[in-house]
Amino acid sequence: MTGIGLRFPHHDALLAAPAPVGWLEIHPENYFGGGRPRHCLERLSERYPLSLHGVGLSLGSAEGPDSAHLEKLRKLIDRFRPILVSEHVAWTAQGGIHLNDLLPLPYTAEALETLVANIDRTQDVLGRHILIENPSSYLSFTRSEMPEWDFIAAAVARSGCGLLLDLNNLYVSARNLGFDPDTYLAAMPGDAIGEIHLAGHAVRHIEAVELRIDDHGSAVDEAVWSLYRQLVRRIGPRPTLIEWDSRIPPLATLVGEAAKADAILAELAAEARHAAQ
Amino acid sequence: MRLNELQAAMRAGILGEPTEALLAEIDGCGLASAARLRIHRNNTLFGLTEALRTSFPAVARLVGDRFFDFAADRFIRGAPPREPRLANYGAGFPAFLAGFEPARTLPYLPDIARLEWAVNLAYNAPDEAPLAPAALVDLAPDAYPRLRLALHSSCRLVRSGFPIKRIWLANRPGAETEGTIDLAEGGATLLVMRREFEVVLIEIEPAEHDFLASLRDGGTIETACTCALATDAAFDLAGLLARQFARGSFARAILPAP
């Protein structure tokens, strides 16, 4: 059953009545303190499986993840025993400054070394496997030595971590940087995919050039649903999650998006059974 | 550029202006490299501005969104976050506002910001069981002066020469704007703490403030009493301690070595 990203405005609704969602995914950074957020999480964790999806670890930083941050994450993992733990293929920190944006890496051998070393260290400290998520890209670097999909696949293969494939990000990157989403999708290692993210994005124009902005502020795009069908046909069902972070709608809207993913999974399962007969 | 150099250049180019060397690293892909980088600058500044707006809603309401965005932009570029948790970002914003020339016409604004930061810290403070009075029953009376009491992690003290509690209450999100508040009506001395899950603003006497501030700074009961008595010769220790235990203001007793 499809899960949803847990956001503060939905705490009360989820505590008041059970929602037909399979699991909840949190940004661990939002629950490092105490008080109401922590209390709500404690109660929700008794009713739903949890997944931890970090945004602040900065796996792509040359200086490596912050030890204090890793330690807080470890404590949260020890307390809540999440089904999945994930972070982004991106960097946010340099020189001790945290920029609060998932910034892109050059796809070079040096950056790959750094990313793999940081994943290794994270998995050692946390004592478990993590999934890494493909970014939504707005720029590429002239010194990149390989396409994004090869970089992601190599990081997964070399570190032994899993892959959280965000199909919205994949589509956004493809549109922004002018490559074919099917090529990217085909290069993703199916066995390593432990989770799929679905979300909405916005369309903007700069100097008449169309840009897709990954703002998680609307329903999932039809093109992204189509990639989802394509992927599930190839690799079978995976834990799927609906994310919505800006202009957050009522809980029912997220539940509706999750139901849509569930319907696709059911339809494709029936299709697969039929084909096997 | 090595990865660390590239990341340092991007950090500087996002918070300030990009160098030519950095722009040469970026493939414009149909756009100017600077326009590509600006997407990340906008994301960064927007996200951090929203984080500040969440922690300082009354300041934002008092100055209006455009002024708040302008002030936040200046603050963020000069003092970007030093840790990834957004709820912890903004400790320096009240001091920034105090020195921010365009905000000088609102002399109470930095104090409102200090109050909002205290509220934010109280709201997000780690969970901690309050100290029960029973913890002190075995303490010999002559050990009291050397006793230290650690304030509960959610407790903050805020003092201002302006009526900041009234201004704050009138400018909370969703608050109805009441009539006018006379800035000369008198200041406020407040203990800010979390009760259950809500943050409360408790008006306290100046002597009580000085007593708690002394304990907060690591003072013994004796030192704290000296501070309080200097402010109010009629200060009543027993009454004050009873009030604090009823509120749950303390987290730990640090007993003197025998």
Side-chain angles (χ1 to χ4, degrees), chain A residues 184-224:
Chain A
Y184 196 141
L185 195 58
M188 291 295 98
D191 291 345
I193 297 174
E195 180 181 351
I196 300 169
H197 268 185
L198 300 170
H201 62 260
V203 183
R204 304 257 184 283
H205 288 86
I206 300 181
E207 300 162 19
V209 174
E210 179 198 276
L211 275 165
R212 303 267 168 163
I213 305 289
D214 180 33
D215 66 349
H216 294 179
S218 55
V220 178
D221 194 277
E222 268 317 311
V224 175

Side-chain angles (χ1 to χ4, degrees), chain B residues 84-100:
Chain B
R85 199 176 152 219
L86 283 183
N88 284 357
Y89 181 53
F93 194 51
F96 165 84
L97 287 176
F100 191 49

Side-chain angles (χ1 to χ4, degrees), chain A residues 89-93 99 101-105, chain B residues 10-11 14 40 44:
Chain A
V89 175
W91 65 279
T92 55
L99 288 174
D101 186 21
L102 298 165
L103 296 163
L105 283 167
Chain B
M10 278 189 76
R11 182 195 103 186
I14 284 170
H40 287 291
T44 301

Side-chain angles (χ1 to χ4, degrees), chain B residues 243-256:
Chain B
R243 268 200 307 282
Q244 307 313 319
F245 276 109
R247 285 175 192 150
S249 311
F250 303 128
R252 284 177 314 284
I254 301 134
L255 303 175

